[in-house]
Amino acid sequence: MRNEKILSILISTLAVIAVIIMILIFAPTVIQSTFNNKPEADVGFSSDTVKARVLKVIEEGTTTLGNHEQPYQVLEVEIIEGQYKGTHVFVDYGKQQFRPSNYSLKAGNKILVSASINPQTEKVDAFFVDFVRGGAIICLFLLFAAFSIVIGGWRGLRSLFGVLISMGIIIFFIIPQIMKGNDPVLTSIIGAAIFLTISFYVVYGWRLMTHAATIGMFISLVLTSLLSLFAVNLTHLTGFGDENVMYLMQQSTVPINARGLLLAGMIIGSLGVLDDLIIGQSSAVFQLHGANSDLSLKDLFTRAMKIGRDHAAATVNTLVLAYTAGSLPMLLLFSLNKINYGLLINISFISEEIVRTLVGTIGLFISIPITTAIASFLAHYQHQLGHFGKYLGSQK
């Protein structure tokens, strides 16, 4: 048992080291070929957007924009980067644009401004763009990492590597391949298979539970992909429901398959929920078997399915609430304009979200019996694996 535990730790460590080496070797090349020498985008922040520090508040009051009364501030700020670094300029916050009433600025705050030379005065003009959030996000990430390690221990640390692996493959493999004009669906399936396999074994180690979850995930991934294709064809979705797709197609130098991009998004989006459910279900099976090894294969499967049904019911509720919460401003807007809800579901971007939710939920339901059956079989017959079983890992 000690040797098996050492083997599991060794495999996980080697996997982490291999991933780090691959990132160090290939990431610079991929970043250079993917993101360098690109034309400036028409979306997001422009090249004249720079950081600035608020020196003092010059003026405060209220103003009316349209029918909306809101507070405003006039600020003296210092640009702290770029070609205008060190320049002091005046910026208004809330006089010409809508602003939240509960976020007032004070001396010492850092903001983003758009700075450029005024051709008439030949002086630098600046306009408020947004808040600087990088430091706060880093603090939250460090807090997240700390909780992962304190609560999850060694496995929590490995889960952080799993997250980095997943994001790395999405950014450095899936996105570049799609931007080269390759099929988004096939690219997403290959990328998902790679990062799921690596992250599963890095996080959970070389164990029968992980093998069962990995096999269950692959099968569920393929079935969910086929279901997504069927659903998109059935509902005649084009992929143009998201205005970002329009920007992408206008700026891309290669043809972008909008419908394939929609399918890829559905596949990747469903993986987060499937990951959680499949690992939980596989773990439940082996825990049940460990608590009572006398359970028959049928009883083990039946008991684990009861756990899976409860988990699935809670997860479905979570999915629906998550999508509804994300669409709340849009739903309020529709209610304000008294739009016919019978016609509402035919709007492309609403239909896409509905189909995405339904496909993800159906894929979730499909994954439960598949993973439970595989895990139950491996757990029940693991004692018959003989000498070969030593190389498949321990469940202790």
Side-chain angles (χ1 to χ4, degrees), residues 20 36 38 40-41 43 65 96 104 113 142 175 192 210 212 229 235 261 263 267 287 298 354 386:
I20 293 174
N36 288 355
K38 297 291 184 182
E40 183 181 333
V43 294
L65 290 179
Q96 303 178 43
S104 293
V113 297
L142 293 176
I175 292 178
T210 314
L229 180 60
T235 53
L261 197 60
L263 283 166
I267 294 168
Q287 290 299 322
K298 180 180 178 181
I354 293 174

Side-chain angles (χ1 to χ4, degrees), residues 5-196:
K5 186 176 182 179
I6 293 174
L7 177 63
S8 176
I9 294 174
L10 180 61
I11 291 175
S12 300
T13 304
L14 290 175
V16 171
I17 294 173
V19 170
I20 293 174
I21 291 174
M22 285 191 293
I23 291 175
L24 293 175
I25 293 175
F26 297 110
T29 304
V30 174
I31 292 174
Q32 184 176 7
S33 62
T34 304
F35 300 107
N36 288 355
N37 302 319
K38 297 291 184 182
E40 183 181 333
D42 294 329
V43 294
F45 297 138
S46 59
S47 60
D48 59 5
T49 300
V50 293
K51 293 180 182 178
R53 181 187 296 108
V54 177
L55 298 178
K56 59 182 176 179
V57 178
I58 304 299
E59 180 185 343
E60 290 184 299
T62 58
T63 186
T64 301
L65 290 179
N67 296 323
H68 178 70
E69 185 175 341
Q70 66 178 23
Y72 76 88
Q73 294 177 300
V74 177
L75 313 163
E76 181 182 354
V77 306
E78 178 187 7
I79 298 174
I80 58 176
E81 66 177 4
Q83 61 178 323
Y84 306 120
K85 182 178 179 180
T87 304
H88 290 202
V89 292
F90 294 101
V91 174
D92 77 80
Y93 172 49
K95 266 193 170 182
Q96 303 178 43
Q97 59 187 168
F98 287 109
R99 55 153 283 188
S101 59
N102 53 345
Y103 281 114
S104 293
L105 292 167
K106 58 184 180 181
N109 289 157
K110 291 183 179 180
I111 59 175
L112 294 174
V113 297
S114 176
S116 60
I117 293 291
N118 187 321
Q120 296 180 346
T121 63
E122 296 185 353
K123 294 182 178 180
V124 177
D125 284 343
F127 303 92
F128 176 84
V129 174
D130 213 330
F131 299 94
V132 173
R133 302 183 176 93
I137 291 175
I138 290 173
C139 289
L140 286 175
F141 176 78
L142 293 176
L143 185 63
F144 156 73
F147 272 103
S148 298
I149 296 171
V150 171
I151 304 299
W154 168 241
R155 187 166 296 171
L157 179 61
R158 288 187 293 181
S159 71
L160 293 177
F161 281 105
V163 171
L164 294 176
I165 292 166
S166 300
M167 295 306 300
I169 292 177
I170 290 174
I171 295 172
F172 299 125
F173 173 74
I174 294 179
I175 292 178
Q177 291 300 315
I178 292 176
M179 291 305 298
K180 289 178 181 178
N182 294 327
D183 181 49
V185 178
L186 181 59
T187 299
S188 298
I189 292 175
I190 294 174
I194 294 172
F195 72 67
L196 283 173

Side-chain angles (χ1 to χ4, degrees), residues 194-368:
I194 294 172
F195 72 67
L196 283 173
T197 302
I198 297 174
S199 62
F200 269 18
Y201 286 107
V202 167
V203 176
Y204 303 105
W206 187 262
R207 300 190 293 165
L208 283 176
M209 185 207 81
T210 314
H211 305 331
T214 303
I215 297 171
M217 176 61 80
F218 282 151
I219 297 174
S220 301
L221 176 62
V222 172
L223 293 178
T224 303
S225 302
L226 294 174
L227 177 63
S228 299
L229 180 60
F230 169 76
V232 167
N233 288 330
L234 180 67
T235 53
H236 302 288
L237 293 179
T238 61
F240 292 108
D242 186 348
E243 63 180 11
N244 291 319
V245 175
M246 299 290 191
Y247 290 123
L248 177 63
M249 297 188 71
Q250 290 172 2
Q251 296 185 31
S252 176
T253 57
V254 298
I256 298 295
N257 183 346
R259 193 169 70 97
L261 197 60
L262 173 63
L263 283 166
M266 287 185 178
I267 294 168
I268 295 175
S270 66
L271 292 180
V273 179
L274 289 176
D275 182 351
D276 171 59
L277 188 65
I278 286 175
I279 283 292
Q281 196 63 16
S282 182
S283 177
V285 169
F286 282 93
Q287 290 299 322
L288 286 172
H289 183 268
N292 186 1
S293 58
D294 294 330
L295 286 174
S296 65
L297 178 60
K298 180 180 178 181
D299 288 339
L300 184 60
F301 176 82
T302 302
R303 289 173 182 268
M305 279 298 296
K306 290 181 180 179
I307 298 174
R309 291 189 186 101
D310 292 338
H311 194 177
T315 305
V316 169
N317 194 38
T318 301
L319 276 174
V320 173
L321 289 177
Y323 281 117
T324 303
S327 305
L328 193 57
M330 177 187 65
L331 295 175
L332 290 172
L333 180 62
F334 287 143
S335 298
L336 184 65
N337 290 279
K338 298 180 181 180
I339 291 181
N340 185 335
Y341 282 93
L343 297 176
L344 193 62
I345 62 173
N346 296 291
I347 300 176
S348 292
F349 64 91
I350 295 179
S351 299
E352 288 180 4
E353 293 304 318
I354 293 174
V355 172
R356 193 190 312 273
T357 305
L358 294 177
V359 167
T361 305
I362 295 172
L364 179 150
F365 285 126
I366 291 174
S367 69
I368 294 174

